[in-house]
Amino acid sequence: MEEDFKSYLRKGGFPVVNVYPYSEMERDKIIFDIYNSAILRDVIQRNNIRNVELLDRISKFIFDNLGNLFSAKKIADYFRSQNRSVDVETVYNYLSALEKAFVVKKVPRFDVKGKEVLKTQEKYFVGDHSLVYAIMGYKDRFISGVLENIAMQEMERRGYKVYVGKLNGSEIDFIGEKQNKKIYLQVCYHLSSKETIDREFASLGLVGDNHPKFVISMDSLFKDNINGIEHKFIGDFLLEKW
């Protein structure tokens, strides 16, 4: 199970790279070509985008900030800090075009206490996490965002409407809602210390309902249940019924 998940973590889910034992270099080249094809055909041509370089930079900004909260304004501010004049409306339009082509996916933020969807500081993820490695190169710092990407996609595959949670200044990685079902989810790389365990379980402990709550990570031996919050190895979580 662990080895299979690690393989998926690195390869991603595109069928073409999972049916033949390509080398890492060959695999990244194939995925890079898929990205270029999707950008050219589905984004630039369909939306009559003229500033192709800006579109590519926005796309890479998302890849580089996978799992981080940000807004179109933050992207525009970032480019201005690089001495590039970009208005927020253009960023919104380009993000929308990327989302329509399934290159990226926006996950809005939800105020658990106020029970409302917030209009700022959402998270963006990618259509397949292998795009991050193929376009940006493999970097260890991407791992947490990639794990979140995998978890979010599995929730959506199962029919959940997915939100990023906000509760009393704390962040809940994901809230999933489907009809009368709801789950809460924290995602981390490793529960490597007591401080990390306390932090990851604490935000879920603030939620005052009895819906299922999970902390998932790469730890396959840690099987603790803290105050009704279950820890699961992410590979098990992806395959189990919940």
Side-chain angles (χ1 to χ4, degrees):
M1 168 73 76
E2 256 187 284
E3 292 307 311
D4 285 344
F5 178 75
K6 287 177 181 177
S7 175
Y8 170 62
L9 183 65
R10 186 63 183 89
K11 288 182 180 179
F14 285 114
V16 66
V17 298
N18 283 282
V19 297
Y20 186 83
Y22 292 106
S23 69
E24 186 172 304
M25 185 178 296
E26 290 171 330
R27 186 171 64 240
D28 286 348
K29 175 65 167 59
I30 291 169
I31 296 168
F32 184 82
D33 289 344
I34 292 172
Y35 169 79
N36 278 341
S37 175
I39 288 290
L40 181 63
R41 182 179 65 250
D42 295 334
V43 182
I44 297 172
Q45 292 180 356
R46 288 188 182 184
N47 297 277
N48 296 316
I49 288 175
R50 296 180 180 180
N51 195 337
V52 177
E53 190 233 357
L54 177 60
L55 177 71
D56 185 55
R57 282 177 173 266
I58 290 174
S59 178
K60 288 177 179 176
F61 182 93
I62 294 172
F63 293 173
D64 201 36
N65 288 274
L66 206 64
N68 295 330
L69 290 167
F70 60 85
S71 62
K73 182 180 182 303
K74 183 174 180 179
I75 297 176
D77 289 343
Y78 168 77
F79 285 124
R80 290 192 191 106
S81 73
Q82 304 295 310
N83 297 316
R84 295 179 59 89
S85 179
V86 181
D87 64 272
V88 175
E89 188 64 30
T90 298
V91 176
Y92 271 122
N93 291 338
Y94 283 16
L95 287 172
S96 176
L98 287 166
E99 191 169 10
K100 288 176 183 175
F102 304 104
V103 177
V104 305
K105 167 69 180 178
K106 180 173 73 173
V107 178
R109 201 159 57 122
F110 183 81
D111 186 339
V112 177
K113 189 174 182 179
K115 299 186 184 303
E116 63 177 342
V117 177
L118 302 174
K119 295 181 179 179
T120 61
Q121 295 296 301
E122 54 268 352
K123 286 187 178 183
Y124 280 86
F125 294 95
V126 295
D128 189 273
H129 61 272
S130 62
L131 289 167
V132 176
Y133 298 139
I135 309 307
M136 306 299 292
Y138 184 86
K139 298 180 178 67
D140 288 341
R141 66 181 176 84
F142 289 146
I143 185 67
S144 294
V146 165
L147 292 176
E148 285 192 32
N149 205 101
I150 291 170
M152 181 278 297
Q153 285 188 314
E154 183 60 26
M155 293 171 76
E156 286 213 323
R157 285 190 189 104
R158 299 190 186 204
Y160 285 89
K161 176 65 178 175
V162 185
Y163 302 94
V164 176
K166 172 185 174 293
L167 179 59
N168 297 335
S170 296
E171 181 187 316
I172 298 169
D173 286 335
F174 298 114
I175 302 169
E177 295 184 343
K178 180 172 65 172
Q179 298 172 349
N180 62 339
K181 296 177 66 175
K182 183 183 289 186
I183 66 168
Y184 299 90
L185 189 65
Q186 286 292 104
V187 186
C188 67
Y189 181 24
H190 280 301
L191 296 168
S192 54
S193 67
K194 182 180 182 303
E195 290 74 18
T196 304
I197 293 170
D198 290 344
R199 182 183 69 248
E200 298 297 335
F201 280 81
S203 57
L204 294 183
L206 297 173
V207 180
D209 64 35
N210 294 318
H211 292 288
K213 302 172 183 68
F214 301 99
V215 173
I216 63 173
S217 73
M218 291 285 289
D219 303 281
S220 58
L221 299 179
F222 184 99
K223 301 195 181 288
D224 211 348
N225 180 318
I226 301 176
N227 297 324
I229 302 166
E230 294 184 66
H231 171 267
K232 290 186 178 292
F233 167 57
I234 187 169
D236 291 330
F237 178 80
L238 296 175
L239 296 177
E240 291 178 0
K241 184 177 180 179
W242 37 267

